[in-house]
Amino acid sequence: MEGQKWEELNMDILVNVLRRVGMESLLLDVPFVCKSWYKASRKPQCWEHLIFPKFITPDDIGEEDSPDRGFAERLAMTYQENLSVTASVKLILNRSCGHATIIKLPNYCTEEALEYVANQCPRLKVLDVGDFNMSIEAIIPQFISKWKSLEMMRLGKFHMKEVLPEIGLHCNNFIWLSAPETYIGKDEASAIVTSLPQLKYLDLHGASFEKETLLMILQGCKQLVHLDIRDCWGFHGVDAEILKLASHIPTFMWEGSIRIPEIESSYVHDLKLDHELFCDQINHRTAFMI
């Protein structure tokens, strides 16, 4: 018996398949195959998981062999113009019709685009702020109340102590925080412990913090089942005290954490100063705008 053709598949089945192909194919390939696929690609269920490439516009890509160059150039060619980051985010979010539950933002995301995410994605469960988006982190706290279903977030290098209290206040299902390659001081550790008592997964891979800061987290986060502090700076591996406090955590990853005496002190000090200076600049800018 002759097999059923793809374009003749039940619409629900076709949507269930196409929602897994990824943003580039769903936007630039699938709609042009046939009318059935075009119709399926417009279903909001296909746009629940929005993993944006790091770069959307060709002008933002420095390397010729960047894996994102093909997507950016095809997007510009399809729409006959170089869409800005904001325009591209709005275009794709409109496809979801409020159904998006997972979003990874592109690099150089704008405040306007983030505000659009806040207003158009009430079902959001996972937010990855992405890289080179330090400026928009300053306004994230004012949007957290719109994402009451938020469960996971990946933050950048700044504003953790402002963001986490809002999460603790509005997001009852929040269990996973990722903040790799950032500076974790006592204020940040206190925000983690105080604001997220139900936290189960914490990724601080490549971050910089002192042993005392880690002890605060271990003593305060009693529900952790996963802690990643691999390749961290600021303390010399783990010792008996750390291992004892972490004994209740099923997955504790700490390999590669080091402290190099001759450079560590100045390295962490400079990183802390950069962190504080940036936060002061953003706070001053925000106060001026208000």
Side-chain angles (χ1 to χ4, degrees):
M1 183 173 60
E2 184 179 355
Q4 188 176 22
K5 296 180 180 179
W6 274 90
E7 61 269 24
E8 296 174 352
L9 281 177
N10 173 275
M11 183 59 67
D12 290 339
I13 297 176
L14 187 56
V15 168
N16 194 31
V17 173
L18 297 181
R19 67 194 294 266
R20 306 168 190 270
V21 302
M23 181 179 293
E24 180 174 355
S25 292
L26 196 57
L27 187 65
L28 303 176
D29 295 317
V30 169
F32 305 102
V33 173
C34 63
K35 292 181 179 179
S36 177
W37 285 34
Y38 170 80
K39 183 178 180 180
S41 73
R42 302 292 295 195
K43 296 289 185 179
Q45 292 81 359
C46 286
W47 301 91
E48 292 180 351
H49 300 172
L50 305 180
I51 310 300
F52 286 90
K54 286 187 176 182
F55 303 102
I56 290 181
T57 63
D59 293 341
D60 289 336
I61 304 175
E63 300 81 8
E64 287 296 328
D65 58 349
S66 170
D68 295 327
R69 180 169 293 279
F71 174 82
E73 292 178 347
R74 291 184 65 201
L75 184 65
M77 183 178 299
T78 300
Y79 289 91
Q80 298 298 306
E81 62 176 314
N82 285 336
L83 295 176
S84 67
V85 171
T86 299
S88 298
V89 170
K90 288 183 176 182
L91 168 71
I92 293 170
L93 279 179
N94 287 340
R95 300 287 179 92
S96 72
C97 298
H99 282 69
T101 58
I102 298 175
I103 294 180
K104 181 183 185 300
L105 296 174
N107 289 359
Y108 308 117
C109 187
T110 64
E111 295 182 6
E112 182 181 352
L114 179 64
E115 184 174 4
Y116 201 75
V117 170
N119 292 328
Q120 299 296 319
C121 303
R123 302 183 184 185
L124 193 64
K125 293 183 177 181
V126 180
L127 176 62
D128 185 336
V129 176
D131 302 316
F132 302 104
N133 287 330
M134 293 179 290
S135 62
I136 68 169
E137 288 188 35
I139 64 171
I140 287 178
Q142 71 189 65
F143 298 131
I144 294 296
S145 62
K146 296 178 178 290
W147 300 319
K148 297 186 184 301
S149 298
L150 196 67
E151 299 177 6
M152 303 169 55
M153 178 180 281
R154 177 179 176 268
L155 281 170
K157 298 180 182 298
F158 306 99
H159 300 291
M160 182 182 298
K161 60 185 180 182
E162 291 82 22
V163 173
L164 298 189
E166 294 298 314
I167 292 177
L169 183 63
H170 298 287
C171 309
N172 295 330
N173 298 322
F174 194 88
I175 60 170
W176 191 315
L177 174 66
S178 178
E181 300 180 357
T182 189
Y183 171 76
I184 307 293
K186 290 184 179 179
D187 288 343
E188 287 75 23
S190 178
I192 293 173
V193 171
T194 304
S195 303
L196 308 177
Q198 304 302 317
L199 192 66
K200 293 185 178 181
Y201 302 88
L202 180 58
D203 175 15
L204 301 177
H205 190 147
S208 176
F209 51 84
E210 299 176 355
K211 177 182 174 181
E212 290 72 17
T213 302
L214 176 59
L215 295 180
M216 286 180 61
I217 294 173
L218 290 173
Q219 291 168 344
C221 296
K222 300 297 185 180
Q223 304 299 319
L224 283 179
V225 298
H226 176 100
L227 175 60
D228 186 351
I229 58 168
R230 290 174 297 166
D231 303 319
C232 287
W233 292 78
F235 64 99
H236 188 63
V238 300
D239 55 23
E241 183 179 14
I242 293 174
L243 289 175
K244 181 178 180 180
L245 288 173
S247 60
H248 68 285
I249 304 175
T251 303
F252 178 40
M253 307 165 71
W254 54 269
E255 296 80 3
S257 296
I258 59 173
R259 177 175 183 175
I260 305 177
E262 60 268 25
I263 69 170
E264 193 283 327
S265 179
S266 61
Y267 174 82
V268 174
H269 178 69
D270 291 345
L271 186 59
K272 181 178 181 181
L273 288 179
D274 288 344
H275 171 86
E276 293 174 346
L277 177 61
F278 183 85
C279 290
D280 287 344
Q281 290 173 338
I282 291 297
N283 290 337
H284 176 74
R285 174 191 172 198
T286 303
F288 178 78
M289 291 174 62
I290 294 174

